[in-house]
Amino acid sequence: MQNLKKTKQKDLDKVDISIFSTVNETWQNLLSDLEKAEDSIVCEEYTVDDKEIGTKFLKILLKKAKAGLEVKLLIDRFGSNLLCHSDLIDELKESGVEISIYNDINGLEIIKFWRWLPRTHVKFFQIDTKIIYTGGVCLDQKMKKWDDLMIRLYLPNNNQKYPFLKNVTSLLKNSEQDDVITLTFSNPYIDKFPANEMLYKKLSQAKNKITINTPYFLPPKKFQYVLFDAVKRGVKVTVTAPEHTDSLMQNCVSLIYYKDMLQNGIEVHLNKGNMNHTKLFMVDKNWAMMGSSNFDYLSLKRNREANLFIDNHIIIDDLKEIYQSFQNNSKPIDLNYINNIP
């Protein structure tokens, strides 16, 4: 865990920021904060399972709702499918939890493939308005040993409860009133994709360095070209992804993209060991994006996602340290690696 000291910079005064780099560490801290909630809990999560971690989470919501707190939960029909068919749903509702299922598909509707999308791929938790968690961590027991990024923000002066469908919200400004941390939600139903737009803009403007860590590397064409153009401008571009993901299909398809990247002067590193589910984009020394968006079409132009835009070198330095720890457990590949795969 990286803890940013409040004394480091005036912009971060009175704001406590913690960045967790493993799923288990995030779970421990999140559950602890939920247990301490006194007023309200608002959650939007792609995957809440019906096993150990999901059950612990839901029992806390149940207890807090019975104690009179305002509790809201939005889950995804696909990501939380097992939970959607669980008796826990009715018990939560009866106890006062306001629970919603995103793009709910029932019965014969499942054969209408055009109804499958969009999904909410968001991982967002707000506790008593002051504490916000967001990043890439799901409440899925199989992910317990995975590496992933989740940020915890304690904003003592914040009294606003963020609605699920708000697109862009400044969470923290500096003394010049410039945005330091911006929370964004995409909204597929009104064609609003702020992460897609801002990421493309920042990659296009990169001067020295682009660093990408993503679990699933399937970049849309326009993003492939913007990376190729960056290399031509002399920008160093590095992509880091898992050597083996939780999807055999992803493993196979990503190799095609890696080959294109290598042929166009982009460094590709593959993580060994634990599955790395981190979604992190850093441009030069002064901008980063982290959250739920994978580097693929579904995340950038189809699904609902939550991401943070970060314009603060103190936070970015901490993100770089975490990225370097991932990089230390990775290996660079070349075209021979691709060509020698059976």
Side-chain angles (χ1 to χ4, degrees):
M1 178 181 70
Q2 301 289 325
N3 290 304
L4 305 185
K5 298 187 183 302
K6 293 179 284 187
T7 56
K8 278 186 177 179
Q9 188 172 320
K10 187 176 179 181
D11 296 345
L12 304 180
D13 188 36
K14 297 182 181 180
V15 175
D16 182 57
I17 303 173
S18 299
I19 305 173
F20 308 111
S21 57
T22 68
V23 169
N24 195 43
E25 189 177 29
T26 295
W27 288 352
Q28 291 175 12
N29 285 273
L30 175 61
L31 293 179
S32 176
D33 280 332
L34 289 169
E35 285 280 13
K36 298 171 187 174
E38 297 178 347
D39 176 65
S40 62
I41 297 173
V42 180
C43 313
E44 181 174 351
E45 174 60 87
Y46 175 64
T47 302
V48 179
D49 70 14
D50 60 349
K51 299 179 177 63
E52 183 180 349
I53 182 59
T55 300
K56 284 182 178 179
F57 168 72
L58 295 171
K59 283 184 176 178
I60 294 174
L61 298 194
L62 201 62
K63 181 172 69 173
K64 293 298 180 178
K66 288 180 177 179
L69 276 68
E70 177 186 13
V71 181
K72 296 181 180 180
L73 174 64
L74 174 61
I75 56 176
D76 186 74
R77 161 59 75 179
F78 280 16
S80 302
N81 185 53
L82 292 177
L83 177 61
C84 291
H85 292 95
S86 168
D87 292 338
L88 277 170
I89 292 289
D90 291 334
E91 188 176 356
L92 288 164
K93 290 180 178 178
E94 289 170 4
S95 298
V97 177
E98 185 180 319
I99 186 165
S100 305
I101 300 174
Y102 191 85
N103 190 11
D104 196 7
I105 299 174
N106 293 296
L108 292 177
E109 281 190 308
I110 194 69
I111 66 174
K112 301 176 182 178
F113 64 88
W114 59 89
R115 283 277 287 112
W116 294 0
L117 297 175
R119 313 292 351 141
T120 178
H121 194 237
V122 167
K123 294 88 178 173
F124 174 83
F125 305 84
Q126 185 182 31
I127 303 162
D128 293 340
T129 72
K130 313 292 185 187
I131 297 173
I132 289 175
Y133 282 78
T134 195
V137 174
C138 297
L139 299 177
D140 187 340
Q141 198 62 35
K142 74 178 182 183
M143 299 180 176
K144 182 176 182 178
K145 296 183 179 180
W146 288 14
D147 293 327
D148 206 343
L149 276 189
M150 201 76 163
I151 195 166
R152 177 190 186 273
L153 303 171
Y154 175 66
L155 307 168
N157 297 322
N158 180 58
N159 293 309
Q160 184 178 356
K161 295 177 183 176
Y162 293 99
F164 287 129
L165 298 178
K166 194 165 186 178
N167 297 123
V168 180
T169 302
S170 177
L171 296 181
L172 184 63
K173 294 180 180 289
N174 62 18
S175 54
E176 285 76 39
Q177 293 303 299
D178 299 318
D179 291 332
V180 173
I181 301 177
T182 303
L183 172 66
T184 72
F185 288 101
S186 54
N187 188 339
Y189 290 110
I190 57 173
D191 199 30
K192 293 290 185 181
F193 298 94
N196 174 72
E197 296 163 10
M198 183 61 77
L199 181 59
Y200 185 80
K201 176 182 176 181
K202 292 295 183 179
L203 294 176
S204 301
Q205 296 173 344
K207 293 181 172 59
N208 300 302
K209 191 173 183 180
I210 294 172
T211 304
I212 297 170
N213 197 112
T214 180
Y216 313 112
F217 187 72
L218 306 167
K221 277 291 183 184
K222 76 170 189 176
F223 281 96
Q224 294 177 50
Y225 293 143
V226 82
L227 295 180
F228 299 160
D229 288 343
V231 172
K232 292 174 184 176
R233 297 196 307 271
V235 176
K236 180 181 179 181
V237 181
T238 305
V239 172
T240 303
E243 185 172 27
H244 303 290
T245 73
D246 58 330
S247 167
L248 179 60
M249 181 183 296
Q250 290 279 354
N251 295 341
C252 296
V253 175
S254 292
L255 292 173
I256 301 170
Y257 291 91
Y258 297 154
K259 186 173 184 178
D260 288 342
M261 296 298 117
L262 292 166
Q263 288 174 335
N264 284 276
I266 293 170
E267 291 185 17
V268 178
H269 295 248
L270 298 184
N271 288 122
K272 299 177 288 183
N274 294 339
M275 167 66 179
N276 192 315
H277 196 241
T278 298
K279 306 99 161 51
L280 175 64
F281 305 82
M282 295 184 288
V283 178
D284 297 328
K285 296 180 179 180
N286 54 9
W287 187 84
M289 183 179 95
M290 62 159 289
S292 66
S293 287
N294 296 313
F295 203 25
D296 61 21
Y297 172 78
L298 289 181
S299 281
L300 294 169
K301 280 295 290 180
R302 200 69 184 93
N303 285 337
R304 178 166 164 75
E305 306 279 354
N307 293 281
L308 293 176
F309 301 155
I310 299 169
D311 296 85
N312 178 275
H313 71 89
I314 300 295
I315 306 171
I316 292 172
D317 284 348
D318 275 51
L319 290 172
K320 287 179 179 177
E321 283 186 28
I322 293 173
Y323 173 78
Q324 189 58 52
S325 72
F326 296 153
Q327 196 75 334
N328 292 341
N329 195 36
S330 70
K331 62 180 181 181
I333 64 170
D334 56 20
L335 289 172
N336 287 331
Y337 174 92
I338 305 292
N339 294 331
N340 288 333
I341 293 177

Short mmCIF file of all heavy atoms in Angstrom, two decimals, residues 34 183 342:
data_model
loop_
_atom_site.label_atom_id
_atom_site.label_comp_id
_atom_site.label_asym_id
_atom_site.label_seq_id
_atom_site.Cartn_x
_atom_site.Cartn_y
_atom_site.Cartn_z
N LEU A 34 -16.47 0.08 5.56
CA LEU A 34 -17.91 -0.17 5.51
C LEU A 34 -18.47 -0.45 6.89
O LEU A 34 -19.57 0.00 7.24
CB LEU A 34 -18.20 -1.35 4.57
CG LEU A 34 -18.00 -1.09 3.07
CD1 LEU A 34 -18.04 -2.40 2.30
CD2 LEU A 34 -19.04 -0.12 2.53
N LEU A 183 -13.13 12.61 -11.12
CA LEU A 183 -13.83 11.33 -11.23
C LEU A 183 -14.75 11.38 -12.44
O LEU A 183 -15.54 12.32 -12.60
CB LEU A 183 -14.65 11.08 -9.95
CG LEU A 183 -15.60 9.89 -9.96
CD1 LEU A 183 -14.83 8.58 -10.05
CD2 LEU A 183 -16.48 9.91 -8.71
N PRO A 342 3.85 -21.85 -30.44
CA PRO A 342 3.24 -22.87 -31.35
C PRO A 342 1.89 -22.43 -31.87
O PRO A 342 1.12 -21.77 -31.18
CB PRO A 342 3.11 -24.09 -30.43
CG PRO A 342 4.05 -23.88 -29.32
CD PRO A 342 4.14 -22.40 -29.11
#
